[in-house]
Each structure stands twice: as C-alpha cells, then as structure tokens.
Amino acid sequence: MRHRAGRSAAVGLVAVVLIAAGCTQSAEKPASDFKEADGKAAAQRWVTQEFTPSTLSKDQQLAEMDWFIKAAAPYRGMQINVVSETITTHQYESQQLAKAFAEITGIKIKHDLIQEGDVVEKLQTQIQGDQNIYDAYVNDSDLIGTHSRGDYVVPLSDYMAGEGKNVTSPTLDLNDFIGISFTTGPDKKIYQLPDQQFANLYWFRYDWFTDPDIKKQFKDAYGYDLGVPVNWAAYEDIADFFTNKVNGNGTIDGKKTYGHMDYGRKDPSLGWRFTDAWLSMAGNGDPGIPNGLPVDDWGIRVENCRPVGSSVTRGGDTNGPAAVYALTKYVDWLKKYAPREAAGMNFSEAGPVPAQGNIAQQVFWYTSFTADMTKEGLPVVNSDGTPKWRIAPSPHGAYWKTGNKLGYQDAGSWTLLKNTPQDRRAAAWLYAQFVTSKAVSLKKSIVGLTFIRESDIKSQYFADNAKKYGGLIEFYDSPARKQWTPTGTNVPDYPKLAQLWWQNVATAVTGETTAQQSMDNLAKQQDEILSRLERLSREQQGYGGQCAPKLNPERPAQYWYDQPGAPAPKLADERGKPETLDYDKLIATWKQGN
C-alpha cells in the first residue's frame, strides 16, 4: 500500500535549478575481492530460488544477469546510496533485490526507505547544495514538469546514448514500460525510468451488490438496478442506500454500513486527494490524454507547453464551476455517507478502513492497497482466498465529457542528478535497471502489484491468477487504462504548487470557506506562483526555455465561458440521470477501451 503521508510543503525545486552543481569528483573505489565466478554462482541461486516466475526463460534470465556482472566490473567494491518512499514494492527492493544485486555484481547498495515528502526534501537539498546525498532517487513522475524545465536532472535519453551507454542494458526494452510516456518531457526526452505504478479506481463490495435481496431493496427505493455507478448521481444514491436504507436502517448482518469512505484531515495527503485527478473526474478541464488540452486536470491552461493561467479570468479552470462542483461533492459525501471519524483521518489512516468490512464502496481507491486487501482472514476475503470486492472504472461527474481523463496513475520513477559523481551515477543506474529488469520484474509485480511492464501484465501467471485481484489485472490489460494518467508536464513546480491544494481544500472541509472561496483562493495563489516563475525565466535566462510560464492578461470570466472548451459555465442540472452498469458487462466494455 502507499504511505504517501508526509508529502510535505517542500520549497519549489525550480528556483534553484540554475545553481551550480558540485560534487562532480569521482569517489575513491575500495578494493574488492569479488570474482566474476562468485557473481555467476549468485545469479544461478537467485534466479532459481527467488526470481521465479519470470517472463524470461531461465537461460535468458542468466544471460541478463551475466550482462550486469560484466557491466559492473569498474564499480565493484563501491557502496551506492539510493532512496525511495516506503511501500511494499520498495520494501522488496530494499530487503531482497539490493542484496541480490550486491551478490551478483559486487556493488553494495544501501536502499533507504523514507516518507515521500522526505524524498522530495532530500532531492531539493541535493540540488541546492554541493553535497551528493543519494546517487539515485525514486520520485513521482508528477515532477516531470519540474524536472524537464530545470537543469539539474540528467535526461536519461541523453545519458543512455552518451555517458551511460556502456552501463545501459541491451535488454532494457523501454517500449515494454507502460508508463514511459509519463516520464517523457515536452522535448520528447525521457527524464525518469518507471519503477512502480498504480492507479486510483472505484472499489465496491461485489458480494453485496450481487445479493438478490439487497438488489431488490435498491430497485424498490430508487427505481433502477444496483450496479457499478457510471456517474456521480448513481454513486450518491448508492452511498445513501448503504448508509441509511439497506435493511431499513443501514445495517448488514446487524452491523452498521457506510456507502462511502474518504478522509479529510488538514494534512499534505489531502492535497493529492485532489491533484490526483479528482477535478478531471468531475469534468474539469478539456478532453485530451494525458492531461487535457489546452486546460489540464489541475485547471491550468497551457499554450504551446507554456502555462498561462489557473484562474477562469486567465482561461484556466481551477476555480470554474466544474472545480467548485468537485469540491462540493467531496465535502458533502464525506459528511453524509462516510464514518464520522473519516473527516479526522489522513490518507494512510483511512486506507485500511474498507478492509474492516463495513464500507460498501469507495469512489477514489488506490490500487496500491490491493496486496493488503487480499490477505487471508480479512472480512473482505472469501475462505478460498478470492476477494469479496471488485474494482472498476471510476464514476464521472456531471461536467465530464468523452475524452477527458478519468483517473490518476502514480509512477514512482528512477531519477539521476547532474551533481552526482559519474561513477556513482553509473553504478546507481545499473541498480535501477536491475530492479526493473525482465529477469526480476514479474516476481516484483507479484509481491507489490505495482506493474511497470506490459510483458508482466500479459504473463501467464497473471492470466492464471487474475481472479485473486478483483479486476486489477483486467484494468491493466485494457486499453482503458490510458484514461488514467499522472500529473503532466503542465505543472512547472510540483512541490510548490501541490502544497497550495491541501491548505485550501481543508478550509472547505471545516466550513471556514465555501467551496467557491476555496477554489478562488487556490487559483489566485497558483497564478501568483506561475507569475514568480515567469519572472524567474526572465531573470535567469534559460530556465524553462519555451515552456516557461507566461500568464495571460485577465479578462472577464464570461469571455472565457463564451469560448469553446474549458472553462465551462455552470450547469443548470449538476446531478443528471443516475446510471449504473452490471459489473461483468462493464468489464467487457473496459477491455474494449470504452
């Protein structure tokens, strides 16, 4: 599961992108008594005992390991330091794969696990100073807009063709990475290598939704069939039904049930509850994958890759009717249909609650919880180990249009910095490729369920075991997944802008501000930061290049409402007709990419 709590209000990275990088000298390499035969024996042992199953044959796995053994020769005896956030996938890397890499290559790895906000702060500190803290970082691809405008990250496209050519695996197969587009900048260069990936989807109790008596009760109450909600109107009805009406009093088997789960504490995790595509699910912004063109899922308008405004008065949609509707529904559902304690929880506290057995559905559920939601003995797991729940496409709001993105995917990705010494960078790049290599990636996917390779998703193992994962495999094996994307290249300083969201959303939760006031404040503050970045690009020529922000002049809001696309004027009917689909029929359409 994802422990994103702690994503702090880090100072923006872009203000320091032109600071001279230090620490470029080569570290002295200790003597090593490692022999190539030791590496081959270790590879044989790890491939046989741990790296199974695999999409490669055993001979192919050993051949891939043999390349790592030879490529590592100049760096044997070194200890390399890398860091990532604390999730199951990275725990497996830190505890198992780092050990395997050391035994196979002779390069020691210290793989630290810290909170995600701390990863960003360490990254920032290294960029600002001349001290090489870590030799490689796994950080979210959400920072692609920041990294690609700066001058501190090593573009991997350049590295693999130049300095790092001799340490780039011939079997890396970039086209097999399902998230490689997420780590590609506006200049078409790859800046990061995906290491783990997960989405937010709709989660529901399949056993309850298919119970004949419960289905009849719902049909009698609302006049249509209980099923997976296609839109927010249906989600709202289902939330009301399970919270207040099922069996006459909102209970199943004598236990109180709730039709919704969320969290609302004033905490950094509240911010990405929204920046992770909540507004686009409501219908904010324009159609266009990956992030809406010209207005994206943060409500930021871009023109030829230049951010030009967030406020409606500048052509943005951060405080437009769709955004206000998105925030209003979030607050209403939290207060009406979730357990009372949910409003005081953060992400990591709220995440395990559906596994306790009294939640009927969750509109915004991260698939990183899948491994923890399938453990034997849980109230939401059958005696045969199959889940009582399923995941499905997220329902969309009243402003949503065909072609809008429908949800978020996270892609934690390896990032190399320019102020890391070359030999340390090379050794760290070998490790990054090792933990994402085809020889080990299927086993890592089974442990953490955070897929990065198409070949793993389509493997025989997941074909044979799909029923264990409640629809997760069907999602990733479907072209529909392309409607789920991370924060894109339009956000030019992710750390600085992201912190604004939780601070403004929180005041709507507490009632200090209305939803409109909260989004007005957010849009204004985002524009202030874009304005500062625009000044930076003038003062420090070269920052951001042709993609540096340049704000539109303000115009009356009505001018923009009269233009095609976002921002859209307020709808007379923000509910619409509720619509549900049978889960099994829905999965069939999902597989077709609809």
Side-chain angles (χ1 to χ4, degrees), residues 186-256:
D187 55 6
K188 307 305 179 188
K189 290 183 180 180
I190 297 167
Y191 284 81
Q192 301 166 277
L193 183 72
D195 179 88
Q196 50 86 3
Q197 196 168 316
F198 56 85
N200 64 356
L201 295 167
Y202 171 73
W203 180 96
F204 71 106
R205 284 292 297 270
Y206 181 78
D207 56 338
W208 292 352
F209 276 52
T210 55
D211 181 281
D213 181 50
I214 291 175
K215 289 176 70 174
K216 183 179 185 303
Q217 290 182 46
F218 184 88
K219 182 75 174 280
D220 290 346
Y222 298 93
Y224 62 95
D225 291 329
L226 176 61
V228 173
V230 174
N231 55 21
W232 285 10
Y235 183 86
E236 195 167 67
D237 284 348
I238 297 167
D240 176 53
F241 173 70
F242 280 104
T243 305
N244 300 311
K245 297 180 181 177
V246 65
N247 294 322
N249 58 0
T251 64
I252 294 177
D253 296 329
K255 296 180 181 177
K256 179 74 186 93

Side-chain angles (χ1 to χ4, degrees), residues 452-506:
I452 55 170
R453 287 188 175 273
E454 188 84 37
S455 55
D456 293 333
I457 295 164
K458 295 188 178 299
S459 68
Q460 192 60 48
Y461 177 86
F462 283 118
D464 293 342
N465 291 278
K467 66 179 181 180
K468 294 180 180 179
Y469 304 113
L472 181 65
I473 309 306
E474 288 83 350
F475 169 73
Y476 273 104
D477 197 24
S478 149
R481 72 165 187 246
K482 293 181 180 178
Q483 285 184 278
W484 281 256
T485 63
T487 302
T489 58
N490 296 356
V491 179
D493 188 342
Y494 185 92
K496 218 176 187 73
L497 289 163
Q499 67 172 309
L500 302 176
W501 287 70
W502 64 274
Q503 295 167 355
N504 285 292
V505 167

Side-chain angles (χ1 to χ4, degrees), residues 157-326:
S157 297
D158 295 346
Y159 184 73
M160 291 184 287
E163 176 193 318
K165 188 174 183 179
N166 291 336
V167 286
T168 297
S169 170
T171 55
L172 180 58
D173 193 4
L174 289 173
N175 291 332
D176 194 39
F177 285 81
I178 61 173
I180 203 70
S181 63
F182 305 156
T183 60
T184 301
D187 55 6
K188 307 305 179 188
K189 290 183 180 180
I190 297 167
Y191 284 81
Q192 301 166 277
L193 183 72
D195 179 88
Q196 50 86 3
Q197 196 168 316
F198 56 85
N200 64 356
L201 295 167
Y202 171 73
W203 180 96
F204 71 106
R205 284 292 297 270
Y206 181 78
D207 56 338
W208 292 352
F209 276 52
T210 55
D211 181 281
D213 181 50
I214 291 175
K215 289 176 70 174
K216 183 179 185 303
Q217 290 182 46
F218 184 88
K219 182 75 174 280
D220 290 346
Y222 298 93
Y224 62 95
D225 291 329
L226 176 61
V228 173
V230 174
N231 55 21
W232 285 10
Y235 183 86
E236 195 167 67
D237 284 348
I238 297 167
D240 176 53
F241 173 70
F242 280 104
T243 305
N244 300 311
K245 297 180 181 177
V246 65
N247 294 322
N249 58 0
T251 64
I252 294 177
D253 296 329
K255 296 180 181 177
K256 179 74 186 93
T257 60
Y258 296 92
H260 176 63
M261 183 60 203
D262 217 320
Y263 58 95
R265 195 169 92 199
K266 188 174 184 179
D267 177 88
S269 65
L270 187 59
W272 37 260
R273 166 64 180 81
F274 275 74
T275 59
D276 289 359
W278 183 242
L279 268 60
S280 74
M281 292 162 67
N284 179 270
D286 283 306
I289 301 299
N291 296 97
L293 294 170
V295 181
D296 75 354
D297 51 309
W298 281 39
I300 298 174
R301 176 177 287 269
V302 295
E303 296 172 1
N304 298 321
C305 84
R306 281 192 188 276
V308 296
S310 301
S311 300
V312 169
T313 52
R314 299 186 193 274
D317 203 9
T318 305
N319 61 332
V324 174
Y325 159 82

Side-chain angles (χ1 to χ4, degrees), residues 510-550:
T510 59
E512 297 168 63
T513 56
T514 65
Q516 184 69 65
Q517 290 169 335
S518 289
M519 299 314 281
D520 285 344
N521 292 339
L522 172 61
K524 182 173 183 254
Q525 291 165 22
Q526 283 203 151
D527 282 347
E528 288 170 354
I529 288 177
L530 293 178
S531 178
R532 290 205 293 271
L533 296 177
E534 182 180 351
R535 288 198 301 273
L536 177 67
S537 71
R538 291 196 299 267
E539 295 164 2
Q540 300 184 5
Q541 292 182 2
Y543 159 70
Q546 295 300 309
C547 296
K550 187 176 183 180

Side-chain angles (χ1 to χ4, degrees), residues 1 199-211 228 242 351-362 365-393 448-449 451 465-476 583-584 587 590:
M1 105 185 217
N200 64 356
L201 295 167
Y202 171 73
W203 180 96
F204 71 106
R205 284 292 297 270
Y206 181 78
D207 56 338
W208 292 352
F209 276 52
T210 55
D211 181 281
V228 173
F242 280 104
V353 172
Q356 295 168 9
N358 65 339
I359 305 297
Q361 60 171 0
Q362 186 166 333
W365 185 83
Y366 287 97
T367 62
S368 56
F369 288 108
T370 306
D372 291 318
M373 200 72 81
T374 55
K375 291 179 178 176
E376 185 179 348
L378 285 175
V380 295
V381 176
N382 292 310
S383 57
D384 65 357
T386 59
K388 295 179 181 179
W389 52 266
R390 299 288 187 274
I391 51 179
L449 299 176
F451 307 104
N465 291 278
K467 66 179 181 180
K468 294 180 180 179
Y469 304 113
L472 181 65
I473 309 306
E474 288 83 350
F475 169 73
Y476 273 104
Y583 172 75
D584 297 310
I587 287 296
W590 203 357

